[in-house]
Amino acid sequence: MRSIWNGAISFGLVSIPIKLVNATENHNVSFRQIHTSDGGRIRYRKVCELEEKEVTSAEIGKGYEDADGSIIPITDEDLAALPIPTAKTIEIVSFVPAERIDPLQMDTAYYLAANGVPAAKPYTLLREALKRSQKVAIAKFALRGRERLGMLRVVDDVIAMHGLLWPDEIRAASDVAPDTHVTVRDAELDLADALMETLGEVDLDSLRDDYRVAVEEMIATKTGGGVLTPAPAEPAAGGKVIDLMAALESSVRAAQAARGETPPDTEGEVAAVTPIKSRKKTAAAPKAPTAPKTVGGKKSTSAATKKTAAKATKTTKTAGKATKSAAKKSTAAATAKKTTTRKKASA
């Protein structure tokens, strides 16, 4: 790997010659700007606005634009003469626990390679010291015309350095938090925990850039003269009010199904979320018995009781008379039958 910076690590009175190498690489698909009518490349030319002519890279330098618009030329010699000890040195200023570093501060990552055989011993000493202390080193270094912060840590058998943003370059997060007060229930947290446990961990090496793969396949299809098939349109997201508990439960079941697991309490069933319908008017209930009328502020319960008793007595008397009449008719019929029988016997 090609080094982008040569210098030394200053570790107290110990100096370790190193080379700085990019630890990451860009795999993005690059596009060119073209003229849509004929496919010609669109190029940018560097033109001096005073002479109105194109200039070469060798003729281009640096300049600072003042508040009044005037340009102050800045040469490489001016920058090299600045009293900055980190111009060619990664100066370690302290050692701190790794959790003290906010991931928001992390920027570009580099590998620090020992530069030459004499650098192997002090390089290994610093690496092993970082391992045993379980800390990271905070350092200052200058790169591409500015001084920066760095964090040194051990990756396998190599010392890696992450560029760090200065604390005043991190924006406050307070303005981004929701303005409204929201209460999260324990049941919702339990479901969120269950979803996190179900999703589990992932092998980061197995993840891939699906967008880049799709772009490369599209380019290969067009290069081979193939016809592109448009992908089905995705439904528009947003603007929907969701039931958070139902969404969490469905997410847990989907994650379990993806892992071949069946929730023990559902026996493989998927719960359906039923929308709440508008309330309709219910049928009229049967009327309750009318309360007794009040007389002089008191309920007339005695009059109603007497009336009911009288009706019951009348009904009883009527039933008794009917019973007696039926009995008399039955007796007369029996007597007539006996008389007829005797007459027949005497004849």
Side-chain angles (χ1 to χ4, degrees):
M1 290 183 283
R2 185 175 63 87
S3 63
I4 60 173
W5 184 89
N6 291 342
I9 300 175
S10 174
F11 177 32
L13 297 178
V14 178
S15 181
I16 310 170
I18 56 98
K19 296 184 294 184
L20 196 67
V21 178
N22 280 322
T24 61
E25 55 188 0
N26 189 347
H27 288 166
N28 291 340
V29 178
S30 298
F31 296 104
R32 303 294 185 187
Q33 291 186 328
I34 63 170
H35 189 195
T36 55
S37 62
D38 56 16
R41 282 279 305 275
I42 301 297
R43 299 181 183 273
Y44 291 99
R45 303 183 188 277
K46 298 180 179 180
V47 176
C48 173
E49 63 180 15
L50 296 180
E51 298 181 0
E52 295 185 353
K53 71 173 186 178
E54 186 177 357
V55 295
T56 64
S57 298
E59 300 176 272
I60 299 174
K62 299 182 182 70
Y64 175 80
E65 185 174 1
D66 205 356
D68 59 0
S70 60
I71 301 296
I72 303 173
I74 305 294
T75 65
D76 292 339
E77 290 74 15
D78 294 332
L79 294 174
L82 292 175
I84 300 178
T86 57
K88 280 303 212 179
T89 304
I90 298 175
E91 181 184 359
I92 295 177
V93 295
S94 67
F95 294 87
V96 299
E99 55 269 19
R100 286 271 304 276
I101 305 302
D102 189 337
L104 280 174
Q105 282 188 262
M106 291 190 181
D107 200 2
T108 309
Y110 307 95
Y111 288 137
L112 304 182
N115 193 2
V117 176
K121 178 72 175 182
Y123 182 96
T124 305
L125 172 64
L126 177 59
R127 184 191 66 196
E128 296 304 313
L130 288 171
K131 280 184 180 180
R132 191 165 72 171
S133 67
Q134 297 184 344
K135 292 183 177 181
V136 297
I138 302 300
K140 295 172 69 176
F141 67 104
L143 183 65
R144 298 189 178 98
R146 56 170 294 199
E147 189 173 52
R148 309 180 183 213
L149 274 180
M151 179 190 75
L152 278 63
R153 68 186 183 97
V154 178
V155 177
D156 296 332
D157 288 331
V158 176
I159 299 175
M161 181 174 70
H162 295 268
L164 298 180
L165 299 175
W166 295 97
D168 60 359
E169 293 178 318
I170 305 296
R171 293 178 174 176
S174 55
D175 296 336
V176 187
D179 316 6
T180 54
H181 175 70
V182 178
T183 302
V184 179
R185 295 177 292 166
D186 289 341
E188 294 168 336
L189 282 174
D190 292 341
L191 277 173
D193 291 341
L195 177 58
M196 292 168 64
E197 291 178 2
T198 304
L199 291 175
E201 298 182 358
V202 65
D203 180 8
L204 294 179
D205 293 335
S206 67
L207 301 179
R208 67 173 190 169
D209 185 348
D210 292 327
Y211 181 79
R212 177 171 61 87
V213 172
V215 170
E216 290 173 346
E217 291 175 352
M218 177 265 292
I219 293 173
T221 301
K222 295 196 73 169
T223 302
V227 179
L228 297 175
T229 303
E234 292 284 341
K240 295 181 180 179
V241 178
I242 63 170
D243 183 337
L244 183 57
M245 290 292 288
L248 286 170
E249 289 172 354
S250 300
S251 299
V252 171
R253 292 191 181 95
Q256 289 173 331
R259 297 178 61 175
E261 301 176 1
T262 301
D265 56 337
T266 59
E267 299 297 332
E269 297 179 0
V270 178
V273 181
T274 305
I276 299 176
K277 298 180 179 178
S278 58
R279 295 183 178 179
K280 297 182 179 179
K281 293 183 178 180
T282 56
K287 293 183 179 181
T290 306
K293 296 181 179 179
T294 58
V295 180
K298 296 182 180 179
K299 294 180 180 179
S300 56
T301 54
S302 58
T305 304
K306 288 179 180 180
K307 189 175 182 180
T308 303
K311 286 183 178 180
T313 303
K314 186 176 180 180
T315 303
T316 304
K317 288 180 179 180
T318 303
K321 288 180 180 180
T323 302
K324 289 180 180 180
S325 177
K328 287 180 180 181
K329 289 181 179 180
S330 179
T331 303
T335 303
K337 187 176 182 181
K338 287 180 181 180
T339 303
T340 304
T341 304
R342 286 176 183 173
K343 286 181 179 182
K344 288 181 179 182
S346 62

